[in-house]
Amino acid sequence: MQTFPYAHYRPGQREAIEAAQAAFERGKRFVVIEAPTGAGKSAMAVTLAREATDAYILTAQKVLQSQYVRDFRDLSEIRGRSNYVCNVDPHTHAAAAPCHIRNWHEACQQCHYFSTKERAMATPRTLMNYAYHLAERAYAGGFAPRQLLVLDEAHQIEAMLDNFLSVELSELELRRFGIVDCDPPAFVGEEAEYVDFAEDVYHRLRGQRRGLEHVPTQDTMNAEFGARRSWLDGKITQLERLLESYDHTEWSVEFKHDARWSLVMKPIMVAPFAEEVLFSSAERVLMLSATILDVPTFLRGVGLEPSQVEVIRVGSSFPPENRPLVARPVAKLTYHQRERDLPKLAAAVADIIAAHPDDKGIIHTHTYNIARYLAENLPASAQNRLITHTTGDREAALDDHLHNFLPTILLTPSMTEGVDFADDRARWQIICKLPYPYLGDPQIARRRERDPDWYGWRTCLSLVQTYGRTVRSAEDFAVTYVLDADFGRFVKRERKRLPEWFLEALTEPSAST
């Protein structure tokens, strides 16, 4: 197969590629490949993209996007405007540049962003992330439909669509753009009242946009005008979608009123929008993930019928003895029991750290609260090895851990996907808490009511993704500890969803060290 990027296939790769090709040739529009970490999904994706006349490849994580570019030089890559320096004002990026229409300034002739975008539109295989692709298709245009759409990390499709479709209105933002006399419903209002409020904002924003059409040209050549026009266009489109779909699609409303109010509205199910905003990008759609797990639940979430889809599964070739999964049920970390059991968790984490004095490790906390508690309560000898982070310095912490020659320990609630801790980057990891979705989010609560299987599936998905961060090849090895006291009951309850290669790695605590 000349389009395959390497000299040799990993186990199952060739068979999966040929099965996908055969499914497309039989007329299937959608193909799903489920293959565990290390199976070589990126190579499968690129092979099938090269076989197509033209293709888009989408990823959810920037780090995976970088891996694609590094490994496959024939891909043309495009990222969001904020990743490109402005030629007019080198102290800012293209997203905050004094132009949103090219050639307002002489320096725009060599604009890095627009030059990259033109190249990405012209080349047959283009790599981008979900957020950029969805925004470009909805707002900017230029990226016409192609023969193949490759959706890597396909288990994230629903979350990517959810982020894209969500509508947020805030007092601070509206005041910034000149809407100062617009008050939302009372602190506790009916959902319909919030929709009426959103409609009022929509008409006011449209009025503002009409006003900008009469601004003299010289006044439009500045960053403030460009940012205002871009924000108005995006917000108006979001509100139009909400108002047009509200009568036949269920939306959740979350209203917060602290020092300033904010309102977030999300569709309970993104399935009604998936074809229009994503799948319509291509004649054929290839989805790849290590964690489809429950095919019917996954397909319901993205609005597909099983008859439309060919599902191809690849097993794991990694020896289970190289990736033991050790249950140490020491702490209940539910909301009501967390405070009581956090000291037990800290003690168990300290014991594991002491058992791995010379190896790098990862501690997955699931929440920042647990991360802060451990950072403050572990022994000094363990704290000296910790690398922690906030939401703003996540990438810096990751870089520090990966390139530090000392046996550092990354303490993190947010590196469960898209991060590669192969070989000596981590020889052990701890999963402190089962990664249940947060039921305090009204959308998640109502999503579980609508589809009870979805909640368990999402938890399994996050758990298996986290487990897959460390062992990345058949020769690699690392141990994973799960300290949540409910892990045993969870495995028993969700056994049918959890993949066999995950279950076969379960071992007794005595094998941990």
Side-chain angles (χ1 to χ4, degrees), residues 324-328 348 351-352 355-356 359 427-429 478-483 507-513:
L325 179 61
V326 180
R328 285 192 176 178
D351 287 344
I352 294 170
H356 297 275
D359 296 322
R427 290 300 183 190
W428 58 273
Q429 64 178 343
V479 57
T480 298
Y481 306 91
V482 184
L483 304 187
T507 187
E508 295 298 321
S510 59
S512 61
T513 58

mmCIF file with all atom_site columns, all heavy atoms in Angstrom, residues 324-328 348 351-352 355-356 359 427-429 478-483 507-513:
data_model
loop_
_atom_site.group_PDB
_atom_site.id
_atom_site.type_symbol
_atom_site.label_atom_id
_atom_site.label_alt_id
_atom_site.label_comp_id
_atom_site.label_asym_id
_atom_site.label_entity_id
_atom_site.label_seq_id
_atom_site.pdbx_PDB_ins_code
_atom_site.Cartn_x
_atom_site.Cartn_y
_atom_site.Cartn_z
_atom_site.occupancy
_atom_site.B_iso_or_equiv
_atom_site.pdbx_formal_charge
_atom_site.auth_seq_id
_atom_site.auth_comp_id
_atom_site.auth_asym_id
_atom_site.auth_atom_id
_atom_site.pdbx_PDB_model_num
ATOM 1   N N   . PRO A 1 324 ? 0.110  -3.020  34.158 1.00 0.00 ? 324 PRO A N   1
ATOM 2   C CA  . PRO A 1 324 ? -0.809 -3.452  35.216 1.00 0.00 ? 324 PRO A CA  1
ATOM 3   C C   . PRO A 1 324 ? -1.683 -2.307  35.724 1.00 0.00 ? 324 PRO A C   1
ATOM 4   O O   . PRO A 1 324 ? -1.236 -1.161  35.847 1.00 0.00 ? 324 PRO A O   1
ATOM 5   C CB  . PRO A 1 324 ? 0.131  -3.965  36.317 1.00 0.00 ? 324 PRO A CB  1
ATOM 6   C CG  . PRO A 1 324 ? 1.437  -3.289  36.050 1.00 0.00 ? 324 PRO A CG  1
ATOM 7   C CD  . PRO A 1 324 ? 1.522  -3.154  34.561 1.00 0.00 ? 324 PRO A CD  1
ATOM 8   N N   . LEU A 1 325 ? -2.912 -2.662  36.036 1.00 0.00 ? 325 LEU A N   1
ATOM 9   C CA  . LEU A 1 325 ? -3.904 -1.717  36.558 1.00 0.00 ? 325 LEU A CA  1
ATOM 10  C C   . LEU A 1 325 ? -4.247 -2.186  37.968 1.00 0.00 ? 325 LEU A C   1
ATOM 11  O O   . LEU A 1 325 ? -4.892 -3.214  38.159 1.00 0.00 ? 325 LEU A O   1
ATOM 12  C CB  . LEU A 1 325 ? -5.134 -1.719  35.654 1.00 0.00 ? 325 LEU A CB  1
ATOM 13  C CG  . LEU A 1 325 ? -6.304 -0.819  36.009 1.00 0.00 ? 325 LEU A CG  1
ATOM 14  C CD1 . LEU A 1 325 ? -5.886 0.645   36.019 1.00 0.00 ? 325 LEU A CD1 1
ATOM 15  C CD2 . LEU A 1 325 ? -7.438 -1.029  35.006 1.00 0.00 ? 325 LEU A CD2 1
ATOM 16  N N   . VAL A 1 326 ? -3.785 -1.449  38.957 1.00 0.00 ? 326 VAL A N   1
ATOM 17  C CA  . VAL A 1 326 ? -3.854 -1.883  40.349 1.00 0.00 ? 326 VAL A CA  1
ATOM 18  C C   . VAL A 1 326 ? -4.921 -1.096  41.098 1.00 0.00 ? 326 VAL A C   1
ATOM 19  O O   . VAL A 1 326 ? -4.857 0.134   41.162 1.00 0.00 ? 326 VAL A O   1
ATOM 20  C CB  . VAL A 1 326 ? -2.496 -1.702  41.043 1.00 0.00 ? 326 VAL A CB  1
ATOM 21  C CG1 . VAL A 1 326 ? -2.569 -2.157  42.496 1.00 0.00 ? 326 VAL A CG1 1
ATOM 22  C CG2 . VAL A 1 326 ? -1.414 -2.474  40.285 1.00 0.00 ? 326 VAL A CG2 1
ATOM 23  N N   . ALA A 1 327 ? -5.877 -1.795  41.667 1.00 0.00 ? 327 ALA A N   1
ATOM 24  C CA  . ALA A 1 327 ? -6.928 -1.157  42.463 1.00 0.00 ? 327 ALA A CA  1
ATOM 25  C C   . ALA A 1 327 ? -6.496 -1.083  43.919 1.00 0.00 ? 327 ALA A C   1
ATOM 26  O O   . ALA A 1 327 ? -6.186 -2.105  44.537 1.00 0.00 ? 327 ALA A O   1
ATOM 27  C CB  . ALA A 1 327 ? -8.229 -1.941  42.333 1.00 0.00 ? 327 ALA A CB  1
ATOM 28  N N   . ARG A 1 328 ? -6.461 0.121   44.460 1.00 0.00 ? 328 ARG A N   1
ATOM 29  C CA  . ARG A 1 328 ? -6.216 0.328   45.885 1.00 0.00 ? 328 ARG A CA  1
ATOM 30  C C   . ARG A 1 328 ? -7.361 1.181   46.439 1.00 0.00 ? 328 ARG A C   1
ATOM 31  O O   . ARG A 1 328 ? -7.280 2.422   46.443 1.00 0.00 ? 328 ARG A O   1
ATOM 32  C CB  . ARG A 1 328 ? -4.882 1.042   46.110 1.00 0.00 ? 328 ARG A CB  1
ATOM 33  C CG  . ARG A 1 328 ? -3.676 0.150   45.919 1.00 0.00 ? 328 ARG A CG  1
ATOM 34  C CD  . ARG A 1 328 ? -2.422 0.835   46.438 1.00 0.00 ? 328 ARG A CD  1
ATOM 35  N NE  . ARG A 1 328 ? -1.269 -0.037  46.362 1.00 0.00 ? 328 ARG A NE  1
ATOM 36  C CZ  . ARG A 1 328 ? -0.038 0.321   46.720 1.00 0.00 ? 328 ARG A CZ  1
ATOM 37  N NH1 . ARG A 1 328 ? 0.162  1.558   47.178 1.00 0.00 ? 328 ARG A NH1 1
ATOM 38  N NH2 . ARG A 1 328 ? 0.964  -0.517  46.634 1.00 0.00 ? 328 ARG A NH2 1
ATOM 39  N N   . ALA A 1 348 ? -2.039 7.378   50.882 1.00 0.00 ? 348 ALA A N   1
ATOM 40  C CA  . ALA A 1 348 ? -1.809 6.364   49.850 1.00 0.00 ? 348 ALA A CA  1
ATOM 41  C C   . ALA A 1 348 ? -0.933 6.903   48.724 1.00 0.00 ? 348 ALA A C   1
ATOM 42  O O   . ALA A 1 348 ? -0.038 6.199   48.220 1.00 0.00 ? 348 ALA A O   1
ATOM 43  C CB  . ALA A 1 348 ? -3.153 5.885   49.292 1.00 0.00 ? 348 ALA A CB  1
ATOM 44  N N   . ASP A 1 351 ? 2.659  6.917   49.854 1.00 0.00 ? 351 ASP A N   1
ATOM 45  C CA  . ASP A 1 351 ? 3.256  5.580   49.829 1.00 0.00 ? 351 ASP A CA  1
ATOM 46  C C   . ASP A 1 351 ? 3.698  5.198   48.414 1.00 0.00 ? 351 ASP A C   1
ATOM 47  O O   . ASP A 1 351 ? 4.776  4.616   48.219 1.00 0.00 ? 351 ASP A O   1
ATOM 48  C CB  . ASP A 1 351 ? 2.257  4.547   50.354 1.00 0.00 ? 351 ASP A CB  1
ATOM 49  C CG  . ASP A 1 351 ? 2.061  4.641   51.856 1.00 0.00 ? 351 ASP A CG  1
ATOM 50  O OD1 . ASP A 1 351 ? 2.892  5.285   52.531 1.00 0.00 ? 351 ASP A OD1 1
ATOM 51  O OD2 . ASP A 1 351 ? 1.065  4.080   52.357 1.00 0.00 ? 351 ASP A OD2 1
ATOM 52  N N   . ILE A 1 352 ? 2.856  5.513   47.428 1.00 0.00 ? 352 ILE A N   1
ATOM 53  C CA  . ILE A 1 352 ? 3.190  5.160   46.046 1.00 0.00 ? 352 ILE A CA  1
ATOM 54  C C   . ILE A 1 352 ? 4.386  5.972   45.563 1.00 0.00 ? 352 ILE A C   1
ATOM 55  O O   . ILE A 1 352 ? 5.292  5.449   44.899 1.00 0.00 ? 352 ILE A O   1
ATOM 56  C CB  . ILE A 1 352 ? 1.966  5.361   45.128 1.00 0.00 ? 352 ILE A CB  1
ATOM 57  C CG1 . ILE A 1 352 ? 0.862  4.360   45.507 1.00 0.00 ? 352 ILE A CG1 1
ATOM 58  C CG2 . ILE A 1 352 ? 2.347  5.211   43.666 1.00 0.00 ? 352 ILE A CG2 1
ATOM 59  C CD1 . ILE A 1 352 ? -0.471 4.624   44.846 1.00 0.00 ? 352 ILE A CD1 1
ATOM 60  N N   . ALA A 1 355 ? 7.491  4.522   46.791 1.00 0.00 ? 355 ALA A N   1
ATOM 61  C CA  . ALA A 1 355 ? 7.847  3.264   46.122 1.00 0.00 ? 355 ALA A CA  1
ATOM 62  C C   . ALA A 1 355 ? 8.476  3.491   44.752 1.00 0.00 ? 355 ALA A C   1
ATOM 63  O O   . ALA A 1 355 ? 9.007  2.551   44.159 1.00 0.00 ? 355 ALA A O   1
ATOM 64  C CB  . ALA A 1 355 ? 6.603  2.392   45.981 1.00 0.00 ? 355 ALA A CB  1
ATOM 65  N N   . HIS A 1 356 ? 8.417  4.728   44.257 1.00 0.00 ? 356 HIS A N   1
ATOM 66  C CA  . HIS A 1 356 ? 8.977  5.048   42.930 1.00 0.00 ? 356 HIS A CA  1
ATOM 67  C C   . HIS A 1 356 ? 9.911  6.257   43.047 1.00 0.00 ? 356 HIS A C   1
ATOM 68  O O   . HIS A 1 356 ? 9.661  7.310   42.443 1.00 0.00 ? 356 HIS A O   1
ATOM 69  C CB  . HIS A 1 356 ? 7.843  5.356   41.937 1.00 0.00 ? 356 HIS A CB  1
ATOM 70  C CG  . HIS A 1 356 ? 6.928  4.207   41.677 1.00 0.00 ? 356 HIS A CG  1
ATOM 71  N ND1 . HIS A 1 356 ? 7.190  3.240   40.738 1.00 0.00 ? 356 HIS A ND1 1
ATOM 72  C CD2 . HIS A 1 356 ? 5.743  3.858   42.249 1.00 0.00 ? 356 HIS A CD2 1
ATOM 73  C CE1 . HIS A 1 356 ? 6.207  2.354   40.720 1.00 0.00 ? 356 HIS A CE1 1
ATOM 74  N NE2 . HIS A 1 356 ? 5.321  2.697   41.629 1.00 0.00 ? 356 HIS A NE2 1
ATOM 75  N N   . ASP A 1 359 ? 11.615 7.336   39.463 1.00 0.00 ? 359 ASP A N   1
ATOM 76  C CA  . ASP A 1 359 ? 10.832 7.345   38.233 1.00 0.00 ? 359 ASP A CA  1
ATOM 77  C C   . ASP A 1 359 ? 9.878  8.536   38.183 1.00 0.00 ? 359 ASP A C   1
ATOM 78  O O   . ASP A 1 359 ? 9.250  8.886   39.188 1.00 0.00 ? 359 ASP A O   1
ATOM 79  C CB  . ASP A 1 359 ? 9.989  6.062   38.122 1.00 0.00 ? 359 ASP A CB  1
ATOM 80  C CG  . ASP A 1 359 ? 10.840 4.812   38.013 1.00 0.00 ? 359 ASP A CG  1
ATOM 81  O OD1 . ASP A 1 359 ? 11.890 4.884   37.343 1.00 0.00 ? 359 ASP A OD1 1
ATOM 82  O OD2 . ASP A 1 359 ? 10.452 3.779   38.585 1.00 0.00 ? 359 ASP A OD2 1
ATOM 83  N N   . ARG A 1 427 ? 6.695  6.226   34.485 1.00 0.00 ? 427 ARG A N   1
ATOM 84  C CA  . ARG A 1 427 ? 6.690  4.790   34.711 1.00 0.00 ? 427 ARG A CA  1
ATOM 85  C C   . ARG A 1 427 ? 5.560  4.384   35.660 1.00 0.00 ? 427 ARG A C   1
ATOM 86  O O   . ARG A 1 427 ? 5.360  3.203   35.901 1.00 0.00 ? 427 ARG A O   1
ATOM 87  C CB  . ARG A 1 427 ? 8.039  4.339   35.277 1.00 0.00 ? 427 ARG A CB  1
ATOM 88  C CG  . ARG A 1 427 ? 9.185  4.423   34.277 1.00 0.00 ? 427 ARG A CG  1
ATOM 89  C CD  . ARG A 1 427 ? 8.926  3.561   33.052 1.00 0.00 ? 427 ARG A CD  1
ATOM 90  N NE  . ARG A 1 427 ? 10.044 3.587   32.113 1.00 0.00 ? 427 ARG A NE  1
ATOM 91  C CZ  . ARG A 1 427 ? 9.991  3.074   30.885 1.00 0.00 ? 427 ARG A CZ  1
ATOM 92  N NH1 . ARG A 1 427 ? 8.869  2.530   30.460 1.00 0.00 ? 427 ARG A NH1 1
ATOM 93  N NH2 . ARG A 1 427 ? 11.038 3.131   30.095 1.00 0.00 ? 427 ARG A NH2 1
ATOM 94  N N   . TRP A 1 428 ? 4.841  5.359   36.168 1.00 0.00 ? 428 TRP A N   1
ATOM 95  C CA  . TRP A 1 428 ? 3.691  5.075   37.024 1.00 0.00 ? 428 TRP A CA  1
ATOM 96  C C   . TRP A 1 428 ? 2.729  6.265   36.978 1.00 0.00 ? 428 TRP A C   1
ATOM 97  O O   . TRP A 1 428 ? 3.117  7.388   36.656 1.00 0.00 ? 428 TRP A O   1
ATOM 98  C CB  . TRP A 1 428 ? 4.128  4.812   38.468 1.00 0.00 ? 428 TRP A CB  1
ATOM 99  C CG  . TRP A 1 428 ? 4.882  5.940   39.102 1.00 0.00 ? 428 TRP A CG  1
ATOM 100 C CD1 . TRP A 1 428 ? 6.233  6.168   39.030 1.00 0.00 ? 428 TRP A CD1 1
ATOM 101 C CD2 . TRP A 1 428 ? 4.339  7.008   39.894 1.00 0.00 ? 428 TRP A CD2 1
ATOM 102 N NE1 . TRP A 1 428 ? 6.575  7.309   39.716 1.00 0.00 ? 428 TRP A NE1 1
ATOM 103 C CE2 . TRP A 1 428 ? 5.434  7.843   40.264 1.00 0.00 ? 428 TRP A CE2 1
ATOM 104 C CE3 . TRP A 1 428 ? 3.068  7.338   40.329 1.00 0.00 ? 428 TRP A CE3 1
ATOM 105 C CZ2 . TRP A 1 428 ? 5.268  8.990   41.047 1.00 0.00 ? 428 TRP A CZ2 1
ATOM 106 C CZ3 . TRP A 1 428 ? 2.894  8.477   41.113 1.00 0.00 ? 428 TRP A CZ3 1
ATOM 107 C CH2 . TRP A 1 428 ? 3.988  9.284   41.466 1.00 0.00 ? 428 TRP A CH2 1
ATOM 108 N N   . GLN A 1 429 ? 1.478  5.974   37.249 1.00 0.00 ? 429 GLN A N   1
ATOM 109 C CA  . GLN A 1 429 ? 0.482  7.031   37.344 1.00 0.00 ? 429 GLN A CA  1
ATOM 110 C C   . GLN A 1 429 ? -0.579 6.628   38.362 1.00 0.00 ? 429 GLN A C   1
ATOM 111 O O   . GLN A 1 429 ? -0.802 5.438   38.623 1.00 0.00 ? 429 GLN A O   1
ATOM 112 C CB  . GLN A 1 429 ? -0.143 7.338   35.989 1.00 0.00 ? 429 GLN A CB  1
ATOM 113 C CG  . GLN A 1 429 ? -0.928 6.207   35.359 1.00 0.00 ? 429 GLN A CG  1
ATOM 114 C CD  . GLN A 1 429 ? -1.569 6.599   34.031 1.00 0.00 ? 429 GLN A CD  1
ATOM 115 O OE1 . GLN A 1 429 ? -1.706 7.768   33.698 1.00 0.00 ? 429 GLN A OE1 1
ATOM 116 N NE2 . GLN A 1 429 ? -1.975 5.595   33.260 1.00 0.00 ? 429 GLN A NE2 1
ATOM 117 N N   . ALA A 1 478 ? 4.539  0.560   32.413 1.00 0.00 ? 478 ALA A N   1
ATOM 118 C CA  . ALA A 1 478 ? 4.181  1.485   33.497 1.00 0.00 ? 478 ALA A CA  1
ATOM 119 C C   . ALA A 1 478 ? 3.043  0.858   34.284 1.00 0.00 ? 478 ALA A C   1
ATOM 120 O O   . ALA A 1 478 ? 2.290  0.029   33.766 1.00 0.00 ? 478 ALA A O   1
ATOM 121 C CB  . ALA A 1 478 ? 3.764  2.854   32.948 1.00 0.00 ? 478 ALA A CB  1
ATOM 122 N N   . VAL A 1 479 ? 2.921  1.270   35.539 1.00 0.00 ? 479 VAL A N   1
ATOM 123 C CA  . VAL A 1 479 ? 1.856  0.766   36.396 1.00 0.00 ? 479 VAL A CA  1
ATOM 124 C C   . VAL A 1 479 ? 0.875  1.903   36.669 1.00 0.00 ? 479 VAL A C   1
ATOM 125 O O   . VAL A 1 479 ? 1.276  3.055   36.855 1.00 0.00 ? 479 VAL A O   1
ATOM 126 C CB  . VAL A 1 479 ? 2.419  0.190   37.715 1.00 0.00 ? 479 VAL A CB  1
ATOM 127 C CG1 . VAL A 1 479 ? 3.228  1.217   38.471 1.00 0.00 ? 479 VAL A CG1 1
ATOM 128 C CG2 . VAL A 1 479 ? 1.298  -0.358  38.596 1.00 0.00 ? 479 VAL A CG2 1
ATOM 129 N N   . THR A 1 480 ? -0.419 1.567   36.683 1.00 0.00 ? 480 THR A N   1
ATOM 130 C CA  . THR A 1 480 ? -1.478 2.528   36.987 1.00 0.00 ? 480 THR A CA  1
ATOM 131 C C   . THR A 1 480 ? -2.172 2.105   38.270 1.00 0.00 ? 480 THR A C   1
ATOM 132 O O   . THR A 1 480 ? -2.608 0.957   38.396 1.00 0.00 ? 480 THR A O   1
ATOM 133 C CB  . THR A 1 480 ? -2.507 2.599   35.841 1.00 0.00 ? 480 THR A CB  1
ATOM 134 O OG1 . THR A 1 480 ? -1.857 3.048   34.655 1.00 0.00 ? 480 THR A OG1 1
ATOM 135 C CG2 . THR A 1 480 ? -3.646 3.555   36.188 1.00 0.00 ? 480 THR A CG2 1
ATOM 136 N N   . TYR A 1 481 ? -2.297 3.030   39.225 1.00 0.00 ? 481 TYR A N   1
ATOM 137 C CA  . TYR A 1 481 ? -3.006 2.780   40.478 1.00 0.00 ? 481 TYR A CA  1
ATOM 138 C C   . TYR A 1 481 ? -4.320 3.563   40.464 1.00 0.00 ? 481 TYR A C   1
ATOM 139 O O   . TYR A 1 481 ? -4.337 4.749   40.105 1.00 0.00 ? 481 TYR A O   1
ATOM 140 C CB  . TYR A 1 481 ? -2.180 3.248   41.679 1.00 0.00 ? 481 TYR A CB  1
ATOM 141 C CG  . TYR A 1 481 ? -0.788 2.688   41.760 1.00 0.00 ? 481 TYR A CG  1
ATOM 142 C CD1 . TYR A 1 481 ? 0.291  3.350   41.186 1.00 0.00 ? 481 TYR A CD1 1
ATOM 143 C CD2 . TYR A 1 481 ? -0.531 1.494   42.440 1.00 0.00 ? 481 TYR A CD2 1
ATOM 144 C CE1 . TYR A 1 481 ? 1.584  2.849   41.270 1.00 0.00 ? 481 TYR A CE1 1
ATOM 145 C CE2 . TYR A 1 481 ? 0.758  0.987   42.540 1.00 0.00 ? 481 TYR A CE2 1
ATOM 146 C CZ  . TYR A 1 481 ? 1.806  1.670   41.950 1.00 0.00 ? 481 TYR A CZ  1
ATOM 147 O OH  . TYR A 1 481 ? 3.080  1.169   42.044 1.00 0.00 ? 481 TYR A OH  1
ATOM 148 N N   . VAL A 1 482 ? -5.401 2.903   40.886 1.00 0.00 ? 482 VAL A N   1
ATOM 149 C CA  . VAL A 1 482 ? -6.685 3.584   41.052 1.00 0.00 ? 482 VAL A CA  1
ATOM 150 C C   . VAL A 1 482 ? -7.034 3.560   42.534 1.00 0.00 ? 482 VAL A C   1
ATOM 151 O O   . VAL A 1 482 ? -7.148 2.484   43.136 1.00 0.00 ? 482 VAL A O   1
ATOM 152 C CB  . VAL A 1 482 ? -7.800 2.918   40.225 1.00 0.00 ? 482 VAL A CB  1
ATOM 153 C CG1 . VAL A 1 482 ? -9.098 3.724   40.352 1.00 0.00 ? 482 VAL A CG1 1
ATOM 154 C CG2 . VAL A 1 482 ? -7.397 2.811   38.753 1.00 0.00 ? 482 VAL A CG2 1
ATOM 155 N N   . LEU A 1 483 ? -7.199 4.745   43.127 1.00 0.00 ? 483 LEU A N   1
ATOM 156 C CA  . LEU A 1 483 ? -7.377 4.839   44.572 1.00 0.00 ? 483 LEU A CA  1
ATOM 157 C C   . LEU A 1 483 ? -8.825 5.092   44.999 1.00 0.00 ? 483 LEU A C   1
ATOM 158 O O   . LEU A 1 483 ? -9.115 5.089   46.194 1.00 0.00 ? 483 LEU A O   1
ATOM 159 C CB  . LEU A 1 483 ? -6.475 5.953   45.132 1.00 0.00 ? 483 LEU A CB  1
ATOM 160 C CG  . LEU A 1 483 ? -4.989 5.833   44.812 1.00 0.00 ? 483 LEU A CG  1
ATOM 161 C CD1 . LEU A 1 483 ? -4.204 6.903   45.557 1.00 0.00 ? 483 LEU A CD1 1
ATOM 162 C CD2 . LEU A 1 483 ? -4.452 4.449   45.157 1.00 0.00 ? 483 LEU A CD2 1
ATOM 163 N N   . THR A 1 507 ? -5.042 -6.174  38.139 1.00 0.00 ? 507 THR A N   1
ATOM 164 C CA  . THR A 1 507 ? -4.197 -7.072  38.920 1.00 0.00 ? 507 THR A CA  1
ATOM 165 C C   . THR A 1 507 ? -4.406 -6.819  40.399 1.00 0.00 ? 507 THR A C   1
ATOM 166 O O   . THR A 1 507 ? -5.034 -5.842  40.806 1.00 0.00 ? 507 THR A O   1
ATOM 167 C CB  . THR A 1 507 ? -2.708 -6.868  38.543 1.00 0.00 ? 507 THR A CB  1
ATOM 168 O OG1 . THR A 1 507 ? -1.924 -7.859  39.191 1.00 0.00 ? 507 THR A OG1 1
ATOM 169 C CG2 . THR A 1 507 ? -2.220 -5.498  38.959 1.00 0.00 ? 507 THR A CG2 1
ATOM 170 N N   . GLU A 1 508 ? -3.890 -7.709  41.222 1.00 0.00 ? 508 GLU A N   1
ATOM 171 C CA  . GLU A 1 508 ? -4.051 -7.576  42.663 1.00 0.00 ? 508 GLU A CA  1
ATOM 172 C C   . GLU A 1 508 ? -3.105 -6.522  43.216 1.00 0.00 ? 508 GLU A C   1
ATOM 173 O O   . GLU A 1 508 ? -2.010 -6.313  42.681 1.00 0.00 ? 508 GLU A O   1
ATOM 174 C CB  . GLU A 1 508 ? -3.762 -8.927  43.344 1.00 0.00 ? 508 GLU A CB  1
ATOM 175 C CG  . GLU A 1 508 ? -4.760 -10.017 42.984 1.00 0.00 ? 508 GLU A CG  1
ATOM 176 C CD  . GLU A 1 508 ? -6.163 -9.663  43.414 1.00 0.00 ? 508 GLU A CD  1
ATOM 177 O OE1 . GLU A 1 508 ? -6.332 -9.095  44.512 1.00 0.00 ? 508 GLU A OE1 1
ATOM 178 O OE2 . GLU A 1 508 ? -7.097 -9.940  42.643 1.00 0.00 ? 508 GLU A OE2 1
ATOM 179 N N   . PRO A 1 509 ? -3.473 -5.860  44.297 1.00 0.00 ? 509 PRO A N   1
ATOM 180 C CA  . PRO A 1 509 ? -2.599 -4.838  44.872 1.00 0.00 ? 509 PRO A CA  1
ATOM 181 C C   . PRO A 1 509 ? -1.194 -5.321  45.186 1.00 0.00 ? 509 PRO A C   1
ATOM 182 O O   . PRO A 1 509 ? -0.242 -4.565  45.131 1.00 0.00 ? 509 PRO A O   1
ATOM 183 C CB  . PRO A 1 509 ? -3.339 -4.422  46.147 1.00 0.00 ? 509 PRO A CB  1
ATOM 184 C CG  . PRO A 1 509 ? -4.776 -4.722  45.859 1.00 0.00 ? 509 PRO A CG  1
ATOM 185 C CD  . PRO A 1 509 ? -4.757 -5.948  44.992 1.00 0.00 ? 509 PRO A CD  1
ATOM 186 N N   . SER A 1 510 ? -1.028 -6.595  45.501 1.00 0.00 ? 510 SER A N   1
ATOM 187 C CA  . SER A 1 510 ? 0.291  -7.120  45.847 1.00 0.00 ? 510 SER A CA  1
ATOM 188 C C   . SER A 1 510 ? 1.271  -7.032  44.694 1.00 0.00 ? 510 SER A C   1
ATOM 189 O O   . SER A 1 510 ? 2.481  -7.088  44.895 1.00 0.00 ? 510 SER A O   1
ATOM 190 C CB  . SER A 1 510 ? 0.176  -8.575  46.300 1.00 0.00 ? 510 SER A CB  1
ATOM 191 O OG  . SER A 1 510 ? -0.401 -9.368  45.266 1.00 0.00 ? 510 SER A OG  1
ATOM 192 N N   . ALA A 1 511 ? 0.728  -6.905  43.468 1.00 0.00 ? 511 ALA A N   1
ATOM 193 C CA  . ALA A 1 511 ? 1.597  -6.810  42.295 1.00 0.00 ? 511 ALA A CA  1
ATOM 194 C C   . ALA A 1 511 ? 2.024  -5.391  41.994 1.00 0.00 ? 511 ALA A C   1
ATOM 195 O O   . ALA A 1 511 ? 2.729  -5.140  41.029 1.00 0.00 ? 511 ALA A O   1
ATOM 196 C CB  . ALA A 1 511 ? 0.871  -7.394  41.069 1.00 0.00 ? 511 ALA A CB  1
ATOM 197 N N   . SER A 1 512 ? 1.627  -4.444  42.844 1.00 0.00 ? 512 SER A N   1
ATOM 198 C CA  . SER A 1 512 ? 1.835  -3.034  42.518 1.00 0.00 ? 512 SER A CA  1
ATOM 199 C C   . SER A 1 512 ? 3.295  -2.625  42.564 1.00 0.00 ? 512 SER A C   1
ATOM 200 O O   . SER A 1 512 ? 3.731  -1.769  41.825 1.00 0.00 ? 512 SER A O   1
ATOM 201 C CB  . SER A 1 512 ? 1.042  -2.141  43.485 1.00 0.00 ? 512 SER A CB  1
ATOM 202 O OG  . SER A 1 512 ? 1.482  -2.366  44.816 1.00 0.00 ? 512 SER A OG  1
ATOM 203 N N   . THR A 1 513 ? 4.040  -3.155  43.486 1.00 0.00 ? 513 THR A N   1
ATOM 204 C CA  . THR A 1 513 ? 5.435  -2.736  43.593 1.00 0.00 ? 513 THR A CA  1
ATOM 205 C C   . THR A 1 513 ? 6.375  -3.928  43.608 1.00 0.00 ? 513 THR A C   1
ATOM 206 O O   . THR A 1 513 ? 7.548  -3.772  43.779 1.00 0.00 ? 513 THR A O   1
ATOM 207 C CB  . THR A 1 513 ? 5.646  -1.924  44.891 1.00 0.00 ? 513 THR A CB  1
ATOM 208 O OG1 . THR A 1 513 ? 5.278  -2.719  46.023 1.00 0.00 ? 513 THR A OG1 1
ATOM 209 C CG2 . THR A 1 513 ? 4.845  -0.644  44.865 1.00 0.00 ? 513 THR A CG2 1
#
